[in-house]
Amino acid sequence: MKTKQSAVSVKADPRLSEGCAVAKKIFTALFLLLLSSNVHAALNVFACEPEWAALTQQLAGNLANIYTATGPLQDPHQVQARPSLIAKARSAQLLVCTGAELEVGWMPVVLRESTNSKIQPGSSGNFEAAQYVTMLEVPTRLDRADGDVHAAGNPHIQTDARNFLPIAEALGKRLILLDPANTAEYRQRLATFTQQWHAAIAKWEKQAAPLKGVSVIVHHKGFPYLNDWLGLVEVAELEPKPGMEPSASYLGKVLNDLQQHPARMVLRAAYQSERPSEWIAERAHIPAVMLPYTVGGTPQATDLFALFDDTIAKLLAGLH
Ligand SMILES: [Zn+2]
């Protein structure tokens, strides 16, 4: 009853409105304090792909405001340097990308237009994950006629869970360099992640044992790291050249070649069209398996751990 009365009489009672003014001042002061502490605490991170946003989240938690530039159902080779990306890059203190030319079609424009010196190549705010892993498929010669071939090697490093260990260590160090006031928390988070990730890798390798030596066709050359990790054997690609969609006649040729090199399943990333792999799967009587490829690629792949749980579950399901 008392509360109701005072609520009604707020305007009538001058003492109460005085109280309101004081409360307002306190609220304003608290709000400004909160705002200023946020400005100091949170690092603005621009992640090029969802897997690096997820890793940064693991290592920084609330210490970072993370913006993810591309979605899991977007072809990471084909991104437009939209004004919204440039605006986000302008306020970023750290860029976390794959590198190895994966973002070569849009990042140079974003970097230039952002006019942000903190995130330019060579600056401490520019982090390229590919620099910390052993690259596969490094070409011995470079020819644009070969399609989307990258000088630094195949950029799809996120499909081997082991790659996240050296990348996490390097990213943890980078976060400390940029935000030394929170060194203890970054160290703690890195240690926790590393320990949990080692345990998860052991679990995944045990689960994936039946995949060793299994022959697969891939839509795009997006899985050499996954194959290297789990022992899958790639016998064919559906793309005539990396980044080039297959024609019906090319698919016919792949189907024909399968007689010499049979495959157990055909793999594609969540962002790719299902049509070419479904076409082959139907005629070769093998399952077409869609893998999440990155965090969010499937409803199950909700974080980095779930990404690999789901990848292995889908591969194992493809064996049956
Ligand atoms: Zn590619």
Side-chain angles (χ1 to χ4, degrees):
M1 273 315 281
K2 207 184 165 202
T3 334
K4 249 186 196 167
Q5 261 180 346
S6 61
V8 171
S9 58
V10 156
K11 271 180 190 160
D13 191 335
R15 282 169 306 167
L16 273 176
S17 73
E18 207 178 87
C20 272
V22 172
K24 233 183 219 171
K25 271 185 193 163
I26 293 170
F27 272 121
T28 310
L30 277 174
F31 179 71
L32 287 176
L33 191 75
L34 205 70
L35 204 71
S36 68
S37 70
N38 264 350
V39 166
H40 288 296
L43 205 62
N44 283 333
V45 178
F46 180 109
C48 285
E49 291 85 22
E51 62 271 24
W52 309 131
L55 182 62
T56 309
Q57 181 63 47
Q58 294 279 344
L59 301 181
N62 292 333
L63 299 177
N65 280 325
I66 305 164
Y67 171 74
T68 316
T70 62
L73 302 181
Q74 213 175 346
D75 181 341
H77 313 82
Q78 308 288 345
V79 177
Q80 298 296 317
R82 300 188 310 274
S84 59
L85 293 187
I86 294 161
K88 289 291 180 183
R90 203 162 280 160
S91 59
Q93 288 144 296
L94 173 62
L95 208 77
V96 184
C97 299
T98 300
E101 298 182 356
L102 180 63
E103 300 93 358
V104 76
W106 57 283
M107 190 44 81
V109 178
V110 169
L111 284 174
R112 193 182 64 230
E113 297 293 314
S114 77
T115 64
N116 180 352
S117 62
K118 291 185 194 133
I119 57 167
Q120 300 299 319
S123 313
S124 53
N126 185 301
F127 182 91
E128 291 193 346
Q131 289 182 3
Y132 304 96
V133 300
T134 306
M135 298 301 285
L136 299 177
E137 297 182 349
V138 180
T140 47
R141 62 176 201 127
L142 262 190
D143 188 342
R144 287 316 291 174
D146 294 336
D148 247 343
V149 175
H150 306 285
N154 189 302
H156 306 297
I157 56 176
Q158 85 286 2
T159 58
D160 180 346
R162 297 171 303 180
N163 281 345
F164 284 84
L165 290 168
I167 295 168
E169 200 188 332
L171 184 55
K173 279 187 193 153
R174 193 66 68 91
L175 289 165
I176 289 170
L177 182 72
L178 294 172
D179 182 19
N182 290 304
T183 297
E185 183 165 350
Y186 291 124
R187 278 209 184 120
Q188 181 55 48
R189 284 184 163 273
L190 175 64
T192 305
F193 174 77
T194 304
Q195 188 192 19
Q196 290 174 344
W197 201 251
H198 271 294
I201 288 174
K203 177 190 77 174
W204 292 322
E205 288 180 350
K206 208 170 155 195
Q207 289 171 336
L211 296 166
K212 211 166 199 161
V214 168
S215 296
V216 295
I217 311 170
V218 299
H219 178 132
H220 172 70
K221 280 184 94 57
F223 304 99
Y225 297 88
L226 177 77
N227 296 341
D228 184 61
W229 176 36
L230 300 180
L232 294 161
V233 181
E234 184 183 306
V235 295
E237 294 114 42
L238 299 184
E239 292 179 340
K241 286 172 183 177
M244 187 186 282
E245 285 304 314
S247 63
S249 67
Y250 189 79
L251 288 179
K253 184 191 169 299
V254 173
L255 184 65
N256 202 46
D257 291 349
L258 280 183
Q259 289 167 356
Q260 263 95 58
H261 309 281
R264 294 280 299 276
M265 52 184 123
V266 49
L267 308 181
R268 71 173 189 277
Y271 74 83
Q272 282 159 337
S273 157
E274 75 280 12
R275 294 214 331 251
S277 44
E278 295 290 353
W279 192 95
I280 286 282
E282 216 171 276
R283 285 158 184 84
H285 310 289
I286 54 173
V289 177
M290 186 264 271
L291 299 177
Y293 210 57
T294 185
V295 173
T298 59
Q300 292 83 5
T302 49
D303 64 14
L304 280 183
F305 291 88
L307 166 64
F308 288 98
D309 283 341
D310 193 40
T311 299
I312 289 165
K314 287 195 161 52
L315 288 168
L316 291 172
L319 286 182
H320 303 298

